[in-house]
Amino acid sequence: MPRPTSRGYALLGLAVATYLAGRIVGTWELYLIAFAFLAILLLSWGLVALTSRRIRVTRVLLPEQPVAGDEPEFSLIIKNASLIPGPQLTLHIPLTGLAASDAEIRVGSLNPRGEKEVKTHIEAVNRGVHALPAVRTFADDLLGLVGTARKVGDPLTVTVVPKIARLDSCVLHPDVGLRHDWSGRHGLRATGASEFRSVRPHQPGEPLSHIDWKSTAKTGALMLREMEDPAAADVTILLDGTAGQVVGEAPHSNYELAVRAAGSIADFAIRTGRGVTLVSHERRRREFRLTSDGGGRRALLQALAESQATASTPLVTTLRHLRAAGVPLLRAQSVTIVGLSLDKHLVRSLIELKEEGGRPAFLYVAGASFTEGTPPGESSLLPFLPPQKNLSTKTDAEADPGTGRSIDTRSDADTERSVGSRTDAVTPKAGSSSSYAATSALAHDIPIFLSAESRALLLSLSSAGIPCLTIGRGESLEQRLSLERTGRRARTAVWG
């Protein structure tokens, strides 16, 4: 329903004042002026009421599926379906959750049956699936006397995918190499080594590049050497979405960084030709089976865009559920956990998974780096910790005679002491050539804002043969996750 604006109310007051002045003075010309003012106001009201209902707005976001951090633009097509000139329009575009502030555009009057296209850039967009309400239009006449607000157009759903790093290698999966990209258009450098499987007779049509010439010379027939990738099985990635562990506000939060890191590792695995199972720890756990092709990558981006940190239970509950399921998880040779939290229960579960034959890896997104007072990009967090060889500690465990597995009968306090004792296991013995370099390098690279308990837990995972990596605010995913770009000093210190 149109209503007078402040200018319209002023004109209405002027009309009343003129009418009263005419009554007092007794001049009939003042009556005409007062009625003229009122007629102008009524005419403006009628024009706005008729034309505002005939305005149509269609909006399109370019590109339709932007990447988080981009500044896309809205293209709006405004059409006047009436036979009289349209009103002045102010378009208010709500961007709740999509960007920091809403957009607003001022559009002039449209000709009868006229159409106009306007474009406007918006601020950096945030990851997620955003349901935007209809555009709110404020229509007023040329004199600005009467205006009305209406919702025009349909609601719009915008999916913003995370910005993931394109990796040629992954420090958490050093034995995985790229054979081809997901589209299969060109080859990429392979960093993983293949393992010998068997020698069998060559079949017609098979390539001659893998002919085993020694076996061919012995048998007198072409023999083919079969090779297999040591990590040719599927990859499982578990993304932590515990609501209570989120630090910071989107897009600058540890959860957003965890989403990007999980997506980068999954994309790398897909491009190596492996299937990926993405498990999102949320209020209702979600699992996505991603194939090693372009469709799998698109499904990955969609799944990451929909991910939310809404879980009320800790990450270890989902990990225990997957371990209880057994077959789907342990079938994967690589299980990567991207966690927001680190506690003794999670560490114990990861070590048990390792003992059961799994190959877990842990990426810790440190929430402490997202607190106030921590400069971005200067966290210098705990370096990459590869598995430690021939390092073990004595535990009070009993063997199950039925399965052969060890059953941990210790209390939580005993486990905590045992986990803490693993910290000493990664320190080289005195007298070794690398003891001083290893000790000094680790002491220098571990940040002071990580608690002693967190440092001990990370080192205990490494001593159990579980690769660990810590990443914080402002650090480059490509540099931290790529195998070739990992700090040489950190690797030398830990490997000795």
Side-chain angles (χ1 to χ4, degrees), residues 239-321:
L239 173 61
D240 186 3
T242 307
Q245 299 296 331
V246 177
V247 181
E249 296 292 337
H252 306 292
S253 68
N254 58 342
Y255 181 69
E256 294 299 322
L257 182 58
V259 170
R260 294 178 53 210
S264 301
I265 298 173
D267 175 68
F268 168 75
I270 288 175
R271 289 185 289 117
T272 63
R274 288 155 180 80
V276 174
T277 300
L278 176 65
V279 182
S280 182
H281 174 60
E282 302 177 19
R283 180 176 302 168
R284 292 185 177 180
R285 178 171 53 90
R286 300 188 304 149
E287 296 185 15
F288 303 91
R289 176 62 182 169
L290 310 173
T291 56
S292 57
D293 53 19
R297 191 173 190 273
R298 288 189 295 270
L300 168 65
L301 295 177
Q302 181 68 29
L304 294 175
E306 298 174 354
S307 299
Q308 296 180 351
T310 57
S312 57
T313 57
L315 176 65
V316 69
T317 58
T318 295
L319 184 58
R320 288 172 178 172
H321 179 81

Side-chain angles (χ1 to χ4, degrees), residues 23-337:
R23 291 290 300 267
I24 295 172
V25 177
T27 305
W28 64 271
E29 289 85 353
L30 294 178
Y31 290 108
L32 296 178
I33 296 175
F35 287 125
F37 288 156
L38 183 60
I40 293 174
L41 188 62
L42 293 175
L43 180 62
S44 299
W45 186 93
L47 291 175
V48 171
L50 290 174
T51 58
S52 62
R53 298 182 180 182
R54 306 288 291 173
I55 297 298
R56 304 289 182 267
V57 177
T58 304
R59 55 178 171 171
V60 178
L61 186 66
L62 302 174
E64 294 184 1
Q65 192 176 72
V67 179
D70 288 351
E71 296 182 358
E73 67 176 12
F74 266 113
S75 175
L76 297 99
I77 300 177
I78 309 166
K79 184 177 181 180
N80 177 23
S82 65
L83 298 177
I84 57 178
Q88 302 277 353
L89 294 175
T90 300
L91 304 181
H92 181 78
I93 308 173
L95 302 175
T96 306
L98 179 62
S101 58
D102 297 342
E104 193 170 275
I105 307 174
R106 180 69 176 177
V107 182
S109 178
L110 298 178
N111 296 327
R113 299 289 184 177
E115 185 177 303
K116 180 183 295 186
E117 180 181 7
V118 295
K119 295 183 179 180
T120 180
H121 283 273
I122 61 177
E123 300 178 1
V125 294
N126 301 323
R127 179 198 62 85
V129 179
H130 307 278
L132 304 182
V135 176
R136 187 175 180 84
T137 63
F138 181 79
D140 58 351
D141 61 289
L142 296 177
L143 299 177
L145 301 177
V146 178
T148 182
R150 299 176 58 88
K151 290 185 177 180
V152 181
D154 300 324
L156 180 65
T157 300
V158 177
T159 300
V160 181
V161 299
K163 185 177 183 180
I164 61 178
R166 188 176 180 87
L167 306 176
D168 288 341
S169 61
C170 183
V171 67
L172 293 175
H173 303 281
D175 54 350
V176 177
L178 290 178
R179 303 298 181 227
H180 55 78
D181 65 357
W182 61 267
S183 64
R185 290 177 295 182
H186 58 277
L188 296 174
R189 176 172 50 84
T191 59
S194 297
E195 294 181 352
F196 172 75
R197 182 178 179 182
S198 63
V199 176
R200 61 173 177 82
H202 177 267
Q203 300 295 329
E206 293 182 330
L208 301 178
S209 57
H210 291 165
I211 292 297
D212 190 311
W213 296 108
K214 291 184 179 180
S215 300
T216 300
K218 292 179 180 180
T219 60
L222 287 178
M223 302 296 293
L224 187 69
R225 175 186 290 265
E226 283 190 331
M227 308 294 293
E228 67 177 358
D229 196 323
D234 295 345
V235 175
T236 299
I237 298 177
L238 176 57
L239 173 61
D240 186 3
T242 307
Q245 299 296 331
V246 177
V247 181
E249 296 292 337
H252 306 292
S253 68
N254 58 342
Y255 181 69
E256 294 299 322
L257 182 58
V259 170
R260 294 178 53 210
S264 301
I265 298 173
D267 175 68
F268 168 75
I270 288 175
R271 289 185 289 117
T272 63
R274 288 155 180 80
V276 174
T277 300
L278 176 65
V279 182
S280 182
H281 174 60
E282 302 177 19
R283 180 176 302 168
R284 292 185 177 180
R285 178 171 53 90
R286 300 188 304 149
E287 296 185 15
F288 303 91
R289 176 62 182 169
L290 310 173
T291 56
S292 57
D293 53 19
R297 191 173 190 273
R298 288 189 295 270
L300 168 65
L301 295 177
Q302 181 68 29
L304 294 175
E306 298 174 354
S307 299
Q308 296 180 351
T310 57
S312 57
T313 57
L315 176 65
V316 69
T317 58
T318 295
L319 184 58
R320 288 172 178 172
H321 179 81
L322 294 176
R323 286 181 53 217
V327 177
L329 180 63
L330 297 181
R331 184 182 298 169
Q333 291 191 8
S334 299
V335 182
T336 302
I337 293 88

Side-chain angles (χ1 to χ4, degrees), residues 244-249 252-255 257 340 364-379 381 447-451 471-474:
Q245 299 296 331
V246 177
V247 181
E249 296 292 337
H252 306 292
S253 68
N254 58 342
Y255 181 69
L257 182 58
L340 307 180
Y364 178 44
V365 183
S369 64
F370 289 84
T371 58
E372 296 182 0
T374 304
E378 299 180 2
S379 58
L381 294 175
I448 59 175
F449 59 80
L450 279 181
S451 65
I471 191 170
R473 178 170 67 105

